[in-house]
Amino acid sequence: MSTDRQFYPEVLSAEDLKMLHETVHDLLEAGRELHRERDPEYVAKIVLRLYRIGLTEPGKLFRLASMMADREAEVGHSAGDDRALVRQS
């Protein structure tokens, strides 16, 4: 594991984690309401990636993550894509 990818607990506050959790939960719930199957792990990776690059406003984070999750559901994703998503973040 490269040292630049280490997780430091002080990087995310309790409020940050709560917002990330709520965003993922809301995305999964919205997907169910719209009859769109969303992979919880993949949705969480999308949300975290967007948050890490600076998208911290909850509404905007939800909307962009929703579009990305729907796009991935349309085209599908493989294990290789998951690794690419994590590497880019």
Side-chain angles (χ1 to χ4, degrees):
M1 175 188 275
S2 73
T3 57
D4 62 339
R5 298 278 186 210
Q6 291 179 355
F7 178 77
Y8 297 95
E10 63 274 3
V11 171
L12 294 173
S13 69
E15 293 83 24
D16 294 329
L17 292 172
K18 182 178 184 237
M19 194 267 293
L20 293 170
H21 173 78
E22 288 172 352
T23 302
V24 171
H25 177 270
D26 292 348
L27 283 164
L28 295 174
E29 190 62 34
R32 280 191 280 280
E33 290 173 8
L34 298 171
H35 305 288
R36 294 180 183 153
E37 193 62 35
R38 292 177 172 162
D39 176 8
E41 183 178 338
Y42 200 71
V43 168
K45 288 177 183 180
I46 290 170
V47 169
L48 183 58
R49 175 181 174 211
L50 292 172
Y51 188 84
R52 288 180 64 198
I53 62 172
L55 188 55
T56 59
E57 195 277 309
K60 291 179 181 178
L61 179 61
F62 176 88
R63 287 188 297 277
L64 184 55
S66 180
M67 288 188 298
M68 291 175 70
D70 289 345
R71 172 79 172 123
E72 286 303 314
E74 288 174 10
V75 298
H77 63 272
S78 67
D81 292 335
D82 281 346
R83 286 189 296 275
L85 178 67
V86 173
R87 277 194 302 273
Q88 292 173 4
S89 54

XYZ file of all heavy atoms in Angstrom:
717
model
N 0.849 -1.173 0.000
C 0.000 0.000 0.000
C 0.890 1.230 0.000
O 1.840 1.326 0.752
C -0.896 -0.023 1.236
C -1.729 1.236 1.388
S -2.601 1.321 2.944
C -4.051 0.393 2.530
N 0.551 2.203 -0.860
C 1.376 3.399 -0.891
C 1.047 4.286 0.308
O -0.078 4.354 0.765
C 1.160 4.161 -2.204
O -0.085 4.783 -2.200
N 2.051 4.977 0.785
C 1.870 5.794 1.980
C 1.003 7.019 1.719
O 0.410 7.559 2.644
C 3.224 6.247 2.540
O 3.916 6.965 1.515
C 4.038 5.069 3.024
N 0.888 7.477 0.465
C 0.068 8.649 0.195
C -1.430 8.346 0.230
O -2.247 9.239 0.136
C 0.448 9.302 -1.132
C 0.227 8.390 -2.313
O 0.167 7.163 -2.118
O 0.135 8.901 -3.437
N -1.811 7.099 0.387
C -3.219 6.713 0.444
C -3.668 6.368 1.863
O -4.757 5.884 2.065
C -3.492 5.506 -0.455
C -3.215 5.764 -1.904
C -4.375 6.464 -2.521
N -4.150 6.578 -3.945
C -4.605 7.555 -4.673
N -5.324 8.498 -4.143
N -4.355 7.619 -5.951
N -2.823 6.600 2.851
C -3.190 6.255 4.215
C -4.337 7.127 4.687
O -4.444 8.289 4.322
C -2.008 6.429 5.159
C -0.918 5.415 4.926
C 0.245 5.632 5.873
O 0.281 6.579 6.625
N 1.217 4.744 5.807
N -5.187 6.551 5.503
C -6.313 7.283 6.061
C -5.929 7.804 7.432
O -5.461 7.073 8.277
C -7.536 6.379 6.176
C -8.713 7.063 6.794
C -9.461 7.946 6.052
C -9.055 6.839 8.114
C -10.543 8.596 6.604
C -10.129 7.483 8.683
C -10.875 8.361 7.926
N -6.115 9.080 7.633
C -5.844 9.701 8.913
C -7.173 10.099 9.538
O -7.904 10.913 8.966
C -4.946 10.933 8.744
C -3.592 10.561 8.186
C -3.348 10.635 6.825
C -2.592 10.104 9.031
C -2.105 10.275 6.318
C -1.347 9.750 8.518
C -1.119 9.836 7.168
O 0.096 9.482 6.656
N -7.506 9.558 10.704
C -8.822 9.815 11.300
C -9.143 11.287 11.485
O -10.290 11.689 11.398
C -8.740 9.101 12.654
C -7.648 8.118 12.513
C -6.697 8.675 11.497
N -8.154 12.119 11.721
C -8.423 13.530 11.946
C -8.779 14.289 10.669
O -9.151 15.447 10.718
C -7.233 14.203 12.652
C -5.952 14.211 11.873
C -5.091 12.965 12.035
O -5.493 12.018 12.715
O -4.002 12.948 11.469
N -8.688 13.651 9.514
C -9.007 14.304 8.247
C -10.504 14.558 8.133
O -10.927 15.598 7.641
C -8.492 13.468 7.057
C -8.991 14.018 5.754
C -6.974 13.420 7.071
N -11.318 13.627 8.567
C -12.775 13.762 8.489
C -13.345 13.900 9.892
O -13.086 13.073 10.758
C -13.403 12.545 7.805
C -13.055 12.344 6.333
C -13.597 11.012 5.841
C -13.593 13.477 5.489
N -14.138 14.936 10.081
C -14.778 15.124 11.380
C -16.022 14.241 11.473
O -16.471 13.665 10.474
C -15.182 16.589 11.551
O -16.244 16.897 10.658
N -16.587 14.174 12.643
C -17.820 13.417 12.832
C -18.928 13.980 11.949
O -19.733 13.228 11.386
C -18.233 13.437 14.296
N -18.963 15.295 11.790
C -19.974 15.919 10.929
C -19.770 15.536 9.468
O -20.732 15.327 8.735
C -19.945 17.448 11.085
C -20.391 17.938 12.438
C -19.268 17.898 13.478
O -18.076 17.930 13.125
O -19.604 17.807 14.673
N -18.498 15.473 9.039
C -18.196 15.046 7.666
C -18.698 13.627 7.431
O -19.351 13.348 6.420
C -16.690 15.078 7.399
C -16.089 16.464 7.433
O -16.788 17.435 7.088
O -14.897 16.568 7.809
N -18.366 12.742 8.349
C -18.777 11.345 8.199
C -20.289 11.205 8.206
O -20.850 10.426 7.426
C -18.164 10.493 9.308
C -16.651 10.320 9.231
C -16.135 9.620 10.487
C -16.260 9.564 7.978
N -20.958 11.982 9.051
C -22.421 11.944 9.102
C -23.000 12.393 7.766
O -23.924 11.770 7.235
C -22.928 12.836 10.235
C -24.430 12.821 10.376
C -24.888 13.677 11.553
C -26.384 13.547 11.723
N -27.094 14.766 11.660
N -22.474 13.466 7.202
C -22.971 13.959 5.924
C -22.727 12.957 4.802
O -23.594 12.720 3.968
C -22.304 15.305 5.597
C -22.994 16.051 4.459
S -22.299 15.747 2.828
C -20.725 16.505 2.990
N -21.554 12.332 4.786
C -21.265 11.316 3.780
C -22.217 10.133 3.918
O -22.764 9.642 2.925
C -19.808 10.857 3.899
C -18.752 11.897 3.541
C -17.371 11.391 3.925
C -18.810 12.252 2.067
N -22.427 9.678 5.137
C -23.341 8.567 5.394
C -24.760 8.913 4.942
O -25.421 8.106 4.266
C -23.326 8.208 6.881
C -24.354 7.203 7.263
N -24.195 5.853 7.013
C -25.571 7.351 7.837
C -25.277 5.212 7.438
N -26.117 6.100 7.934
N -25.220 10.111 5.302
C -26.574 10.515 4.925
C -26.725 10.638 3.414
O -27.759 10.270 2.850
C -26.936 11.838 5.601
C -27.163 11.689 7.087
C -27.345 13.013 7.812
O -27.140 14.090 7.192
O -27.691 12.963 9.004
N -25.692 11.128 2.748
C -25.740 11.258 1.290
C -25.847 9.891 0.629
O -26.673 9.687 -0.262
C -24.509 12.016 0.762
O -24.460 13.311 1.372
C -24.557 12.169 -0.743
N -25.035 8.948 1.084
C -25.100 7.591 0.526
C -26.477 6.989 0.804
O -27.112 6.419 -0.096
C -23.969 6.701 1.088
C -24.170 5.239 0.695
C -22.614 7.196 0.608
N -26.945 7.123 2.024
C -28.263 6.588 2.382
C -29.352 7.196 1.495
O -30.217 6.483 0.963
C -28.562 6.877 3.860
C -29.913 6.427 4.288
N -31.013 7.247 4.213
C -30.355 5.246 4.767
C -32.077 6.595 4.627
N -31.701 5.376 4.977
N -29.331 8.519 1.336
C -30.332 9.197 0.516
C -30.265 8.760 -0.945
O -31.298 8.599 -1.608
C -30.168 10.713 0.620
C -30.514 11.258 2.000
O -31.101 10.504 2.823
O -30.177 12.427 2.263
N -29.057 8.565 -1.456
C -28.906 8.106 -2.840
C -29.474 6.707 -3.032
O -30.138 6.430 -4.037
C -27.430 8.125 -3.246
C -26.857 9.497 -3.560
C -25.343 9.447 -3.566
C -27.390 9.985 -4.896
N -29.213 5.832 -2.081
C -29.730 4.471 -2.185
C -31.258 4.460 -2.074
O -31.938 3.759 -2.817
C -29.099 3.572 -1.122
C -27.586 3.367 -1.269
C -27.047 2.579 -0.084
C -27.258 2.683 -2.588
N -31.789 5.275 -1.177
C -33.239 5.364 -1.006
C -33.900 5.950 -2.254
O -34.923 5.454 -2.720
C -33.571 6.212 0.225
C -35.015 6.167 0.622
C -35.501 4.780 1.002
O -34.720 3.997 1.576
O -36.675 4.473 0.722
N -33.316 7.004 -2.801
C -33.857 7.618 -4.019
C -33.821 6.621 -5.175
O -34.753 6.575 -5.986
C -33.070 8.873 -4.372
N -32.773 5.837 -5.242
C -32.682 4.819 -6.287
C -33.796 3.797 -6.176
O -34.406 3.407 -7.179
N -34.089 3.379 -4.954
C -35.182 2.408 -4.750
C -36.525 3.010 -5.159
O -37.336 2.349 -5.793
C -35.225 1.959 -3.294
C -34.201 0.895 -2.954
C -34.439 0.292 -1.583
N -33.944 1.129 -0.505
C -32.677 1.193 -0.120
N -31.765 0.478 -0.753
N -32.311 1.984 0.868
N -36.746 4.270 -4.793
C -38.005 4.934 -5.138
C -38.182 5.062 -6.650
O -39.305 5.026 -7.147
C -38.073 6.313 -4.487
C -38.241 6.256 -2.986
C -38.141 7.626 -2.322
O -38.093 8.652 -3.037
O -38.109 7.657 -1.075
N -37.087 5.225 -7.365
C -37.129 5.358 -8.826
C -36.946 4.020 -9.537
O -36.798 3.986 -10.753
C -36.053 6.345 -9.290
C -36.204 7.773 -8.770
C -34.976 8.603 -9.116
C -37.461 8.409 -9.348
N -36.909 2.939 -8.752
C -36.706 1.585 -9.282
C -35.384 1.468 -10.031
O -35.289 0.838 -11.073
C -37.880 1.159 -10.171
C -39.198 1.268 -9.480
N -39.574 0.410 -8.481
C -40.212 2.157 -9.617
C -40.771 0.749 -8.035
N -41.183 1.812 -8.702
N -34.356 2.114 -9.471
C -32.998 2.025 -10.018
C -32.143 1.303 -9.001
O -32.010 1.743 -7.865
C -32.422 3.413 -10.266
C -33.137 4.184 -11.327
C -32.512 5.543 -11.516
N -33.263 6.288 -12.505
C -33.317 7.606 -12.543
N -32.662 8.318 -11.653
N -34.010 8.223 -13.462
N -31.573 0.208 -9.416
C -30.707 -0.563 -8.518
C -29.336 0.077 -8.473
O -28.672 0.236 -9.494
C -30.603 -2.006 -9.018
C -30.007 -2.950 -8.024
C -30.838 -3.068 -6.745
O -32.072 -3.009 -6.830
O -30.230 -3.222 -5.676
N -28.914 0.487 -7.279
C -27.600 1.090 -7.096
C -26.786 0.234 -6.139
O -27.275 -0.172 -5.099
C -27.736 2.502 -6.537
C -28.356 3.487 -7.518
C -28.539 4.844 -6.914
N -28.963 5.810 -7.930
C -29.514 6.969 -7.639
N -29.692 7.330 -6.387
N -29.874 7.784 -8.601
N -25.555 -0.008 -6.504
C -24.639 -0.791 -5.679
C -24.157 0.090 -4.520
O -23.507 1.117 -4.753
C -23.466 -1.243 -6.538
C -22.394 -1.985 -5.772
O -22.594 -2.300 -4.578
O -21.344 -2.264 -6.374
N -24.492 -0.270 -3.269
C -24.129 0.576 -2.123
C -22.636 0.886 -2.031
O -22.251 2.024 -1.746
C -24.598 -0.232 -0.910
C -25.632 -1.157 -1.442
C -25.244 -1.447 -2.860
N -21.796 -0.100 -2.262
C -20.357 0.126 -2.164
C -19.885 1.098 -3.237
O -19.085 1.994 -2.973
C -19.608 -1.198 -2.290
C -18.112 -1.055 -2.117
C -17.382 -2.390 -2.193
O -18.006 -3.434 -1.970
O -16.175 -2.357 -2.480
N -20.397 0.930 -4.429
C -19.984 1.805 -5.522
C -20.476 3.237 -5.288
O -19.748 4.195 -5.529
C -20.481 1.264 -6.864
C -19.708 1.817 -8.014
C -18.392 1.422 -8.243
C -20.274 2.759 -8.853
C -17.661 1.948 -9.286
C -19.555 3.294 -9.904
C -18.256 2.885 -10.114
O -17.526 3.418 -11.151
N -21.709 3.379 -4.800
C -22.248 4.702 -4.483
C -21.385 5.378 -3.420
O -21.053 6.560 -3.530
C -23.726 4.604 -4.035
C -24.207 5.914 -3.424
C -24.609 4.198 -5.200
N -21.001 4.628 -2.394
C -20.161 5.186 -1.334
C -18.811 5.649 -1.891
O -18.295 6.704 -1.494
C -19.964 4.158 -0.221
N -18.241 4.897 -2.810
C -16.965 5.288 -3.417
C -17.114 6.572 -4.229
O -16.239 7.441 -4.201
C -16.423 4.170 -4.307
C -15.908 2.992 -3.527
C -15.447 1.896 -4.462
C -14.991 0.678 -3.685
N -14.530 -0.391 -4.586
N -18.227 6.696 -4.951
C -18.475 7.905 -5.732
C -18.579 9.112 -4.792
O -17.959 10.149 -5.025
C -19.761 7.763 -6.570
C -19.555 6.755 -7.704
C -20.206 9.122 -7.126
C -20.834 6.379 -8.433
N -19.380 8.973 -3.748
C -19.588 10.070 -2.803
C -18.263 10.479 -2.160
O -17.941 11.672 -2.088
C -20.638 9.685 -1.736
C -20.679 10.699 -0.604
C -22.016 9.540 -2.377
N -17.490 9.528 -1.704
C -16.210 9.846 -1.069
C -15.255 10.508 -2.054
O -14.580 11.490 -1.724
C -15.577 8.600 -0.469
C -14.266 8.824 0.284
C -14.444 9.826 1.422
C -13.725 7.507 0.816
N -15.209 10.005 -3.259
C -14.319 10.595 -4.272
C -14.695 12.050 -4.526
O -13.827 12.934 -4.538
C -14.397 9.799 -5.563
C -13.589 10.429 -6.672
C -13.707 9.642 -7.949
N -13.028 10.347 -9.015
C -13.397 10.292 -10.272
N -14.419 9.553 -10.631
N -12.749 10.957 -11.183
N -15.968 12.330 -4.715
C -16.402 13.705 -4.962
C -16.104 14.603 -3.764
O -15.677 15.748 -3.927
C -17.898 13.730 -5.296
C -18.287 13.100 -6.635
C -19.801 13.015 -6.763
C -17.678 13.867 -7.800
N -16.325 14.086 -2.579
C -16.064 14.853 -1.366
C -14.576 15.186 -1.248
O -14.207 16.312 -0.924
C -16.539 14.068 -0.143
C -16.483 14.876 1.122
C -17.521 15.722 1.474
C -15.376 14.796 1.956
C -17.460 16.483 2.632
C -15.309 15.553 3.119
C -16.353 16.393 3.450
O -16.285 17.144 4.595
N -13.748 14.211 -1.541
C -12.295 14.408 -1.425
C -11.756 15.414 -2.423
O -10.703 16.013 -2.184
C -11.570 13.075 -1.589
C -11.766 12.168 -0.382
C -11.060 10.856 -0.544
N -9.623 11.069 -0.626
C -8.772 10.181 -1.100
N -9.204 9.014 -1.525
N -7.486 10.433 -1.131
N -12.450 15.606 -3.552
C -11.964 16.605 -4.514
C -12.604 17.966 -4.285
O -12.428 18.877 -5.081
C -12.138 16.135 -5.978
C -13.593 15.926 -6.331
C -11.288 14.909 -6.255
C -13.837 15.659 -7.816
N -13.373 18.102 -3.193
C -13.860 19.411 -2.800
C -15.350 19.662 -2.896
O -15.805 20.747 -2.583
N -16.128 18.693 -3.338
C -17.583 18.881 -3.436
C -18.187 18.549 -2.078
O -18.496 17.394 -1.782
C -18.165 17.999 -4.535
C -19.634 18.220 -4.871
C -19.910 19.670 -5.225
C -20.044 17.327 -6.020
N -18.342 19.557 -1.244
C -18.766 19.338 0.140
C -20.159 19.872 0.446
O -20.652 19.688 1.548
C -17.766 19.988 1.115
O -17.682 21.388 0.838
C -16.392 19.349 0.995
N -20.806 20.528 -0.511
C -22.167 21.017 -0.303
C -23.124 19.838 -0.518
O -23.127 19.224 -1.584
C -22.457 22.163 -1.278
C -23.685 22.985 -0.927
C -24.965 22.346 -1.415
O -25.044 21.997 -2.589
O -25.875 22.178 -0.590
N -23.916 19.480 0.506
C -24.729 18.260 0.443
C -25.636 18.129 -0.779
O -25.690 17.074 -1.406
C -25.545 18.303 1.736
C -24.723 19.107 2.674
C -24.051 20.148 1.812
N -26.334 19.194 -1.148
C -27.247 19.108 -2.290
C -26.520 18.853 -3.599
O -26.944 18.013 -4.407
N -25.445 19.579 -3.806
C -24.658 19.398 -5.031
C -24.001 18.019 -5.053
O -23.942 17.365 -6.103
C -23.604 20.488 -5.153
C -24.180 21.847 -5.427
C -23.095 22.904 -5.511
C -23.694 24.275 -5.751
N -22.659 25.320 -5.794
N -23.499 17.592 -3.904
C -22.886 16.272 -3.809
C -23.904 15.193 -4.162
O -23.612 14.283 -4.943
C -22.335 16.053 -2.398
C -21.679 14.722 -2.114
C -20.475 14.485 -3.011
C -21.270 14.635 -0.642
N -25.104 15.313 -3.617
C -26.165 14.349 -3.899
C -26.490 14.315 -5.395
O -26.576 13.244 -5.992
C -27.430 14.692 -3.092
C -28.600 13.804 -3.412
C -28.773 12.608 -2.736
C -29.515 14.153 -4.390
C -29.851 11.781 -3.033
C -30.588 13.334 -4.693
C -30.751 12.147 -4.012
N -26.676 15.484 -6.002
C -27.075 15.529 -7.414
C -26.013 14.945 -8.340
O -26.320 14.143 -9.224
C -27.427 16.961 -7.821
C -28.764 17.404 -7.234
C -29.227 18.747 -7.793
N -28.335 19.859 -7.478
C -28.347 20.542 -6.343
N -29.192 20.210 -5.383
N -27.520 21.556 -6.154
N -24.757 15.327 -8.144
C -23.709 14.819 -9.021
C -23.474 13.327 -8.787
O -23.337 12.556 -9.737
C -22.412 15.602 -8.843
C -21.277 15.217 -9.788
C -21.713 15.302 -11.248
C -20.060 16.085 -9.547
N -23.450 12.908 -7.533
C -23.268 11.477 -7.242
C -24.419 10.663 -7.810
O -24.210 9.550 -8.312
C -23.139 11.255 -5.737
N -25.620 11.208 -7.775
C -26.776 10.518 -8.335
C -26.621 10.317 -9.841
O -26.859 9.235 -10.364
C -28.055 11.313 -8.036
O -29.177 10.657 -8.571
N -26.193 11.382 -10.521
C -25.977 11.273 -11.969
C -24.898 10.247 -12.281
O -25.042 9.447 -13.208
C -25.609 12.630 -12.558
C -26.768 13.593 -12.597
S -26.434 15.127 -13.504
C -25.104 15.846 -12.554
N -23.820 10.272 -11.511
C -22.726 9.328 -11.758
C -23.158 7.891 -11.478
O -22.834 6.980 -12.243
C -21.512 9.701 -10.901
C -20.860 10.994 -11.330
S -19.519 11.499 -10.236
C -18.276 10.255 -10.627
N -23.905 7.684 -10.394
C -24.363 6.330 -10.056
C -25.316 5.808 -11.126
O -25.241 4.639 -11.516
C -25.033 6.335 -8.689
N -26.216 6.674 -11.610
C -27.145 6.256 -12.659
C -26.408 5.938 -13.950
O -26.729 4.971 -14.637
C -28.198 7.333 -12.906
C -29.185 7.442 -11.773
O -29.248 6.519 -10.921
O -29.902 8.462 -11.719
N -25.422 6.738 -14.258
C -24.627 6.497 -15.474
C -23.911 5.148 -15.380
O -23.902 4.378 -16.320
C -23.612 7.630 -15.653
C -22.627 7.406 -16.751
C -23.225 7.709 -18.102
N -22.166 7.652 -19.094
C -22.211 6.864 -20.143
N -23.245 6.109 -20.371
N -21.214 6.843 -20.993
N -23.330 4.874 -14.233
C -22.645 3.599 -14.048
C -23.630 2.432 -14.106
O -23.297 1.371 -14.622
C -21.870 3.579 -12.730
C -20.624 4.410 -12.751
C -19.661 4.017 -13.856
O -19.408 2.807 -14.044
O -19.172 4.918 -14.548
N -24.831 2.622 -13.589
C -25.833 1.554 -13.639
C -26.236 1.266 -15.085
O -26.496 0.126 -15.452
C -27.054 1.935 -12.818
N -26.266 2.321 -15.928
C -26.614 2.151 -17.334
C -25.549 1.383 -18.098
O -25.848 0.492 -18.875
C -26.810 3.507 -18.009
C -28.064 4.225 -17.603
C -28.130 5.621 -18.206
O -27.300 5.954 -19.086
O -29.010 6.379 -17.783
N -24.294 1.754 -17.892
C -23.214 1.144 -18.660
C -22.587 -0.041 -17.947
O -21.859 -0.808 -18.548
C -22.118 2.173 -19.037
C -22.698 3.251 -19.917
C -21.453 2.746 -17.825
N -22.870 -0.168 -16.659
C -22.283 -1.252 -15.871
C -20.863 -0.894 -15.475
O -20.249 -0.001 -16.025
N -20.386 -1.607 -14.469
C -19.000 -1.397 -14.060
C -18.400 -2.740 -13.682
O -19.082 -3.641 -13.247
C -18.878 -0.383 -12.919
C -19.556 -0.807 -11.650
N -20.872 -0.529 -11.396
C -19.098 -1.489 -10.583
C -21.195 -1.035 -10.218
N -20.146 -1.604 -9.703
N -17.118 -2.825 -13.920
C -16.405 -4.058 -13.606
C -15.469 -3.798 -12.438
O -15.295 -2.669 -12.011
C -15.596 -4.514 -14.825
O -14.567 -3.586 -15.080
N -14.839 -4.830 -11.948
C -13.882 -4.679 -10.846
C -12.751 -3.743 -11.250
O -12.251 -2.975 -10.446
C -13.330 -6.036 -10.431
N -12.360 -3.768 -12.496
C -11.315 -2.879 -12.967
C -11.727 -1.423 -12.867
O -10.941 -0.557 -12.529
N -12.996 -1.132 -13.163
C -13.497 0.222 -13.041
C -13.482 0.677 -11.591
O -13.197 1.826 -11.313
C -14.929 0.339 -13.585
C -14.989 0.139 -15.090
O -13.970 0.389 -15.760
O -16.041 -0.285 -15.589
N -13.833 -0.218 -10.667
C -13.804 0.126 -9.248
C -12.402 0.511 -8.833
O -12.206 1.478 -8.106
C -14.264 -1.048 -8.385
C -15.776 -1.175 -8.362
O -16.476 -0.249 -8.777
O -16.250 -2.219 -7.894
N -11.420 -0.247 -9.277
C -10.042 0.072 -8.919
C -9.637 1.412 -9.519
O -8.955 2.195 -8.884
C -9.104 -1.042 -9.362
C -9.215 -2.289 -8.489
C -8.128 -3.285 -8.802
N -8.215 -3.814 -10.151
C -8.970 -4.843 -10.510
N -9.710 -5.456 -9.625
N -8.986 -5.262 -11.752
N -10.067 1.694 -10.731
C -9.739 2.972 -11.365
C -10.382 4.114 -10.591
O -9.776 5.168 -10.414
C -10.200 2.980 -12.816
N -11.614 3.935 -10.125
C -12.295 4.972 -9.362
C -11.528 5.268 -8.087
O -11.317 6.428 -7.745
C -13.720 4.519 -9.025
C -14.544 5.476 -8.178
C -14.845 6.752 -8.961
C -15.832 4.830 -7.733
N -11.072 4.253 -7.392
C -10.338 4.449 -6.148
C -8.987 5.102 -6.420
O -8.570 5.987 -5.697
C -10.167 3.100 -5.409
C -9.253 3.251 -4.208
C -11.531 2.566 -4.986
N -8.294 4.697 -7.476
C -6.992 5.275 -7.801
C -7.103 6.756 -8.120
O -6.233 7.524 -7.791
C -6.352 4.559 -8.994
C -5.625 3.296 -8.617
C -4.743 2.839 -9.774
N -5.475 2.614 -10.990
C -6.063 1.480 -11.331
N -6.018 0.441 -10.531
N -6.720 1.344 -12.463
N -8.184 7.167 -8.788
C -8.343 8.553 -9.179
C -8.627 9.449 -7.989
O -8.421 10.638 -8.045
C -9.465 8.692 -10.195
C -9.152 8.059 -11.512
C -10.361 8.066 -12.425
O -11.397 8.613 -12.087
N -10.233 7.444 -13.567
N -9.148 8.886 -6.912
C -9.533 9.739 -5.783
C -8.355 10.077 -4.911
O -7.285 9.655 -5.024
C -10.609 9.068 -4.974
O -10.257 7.779 -4.571
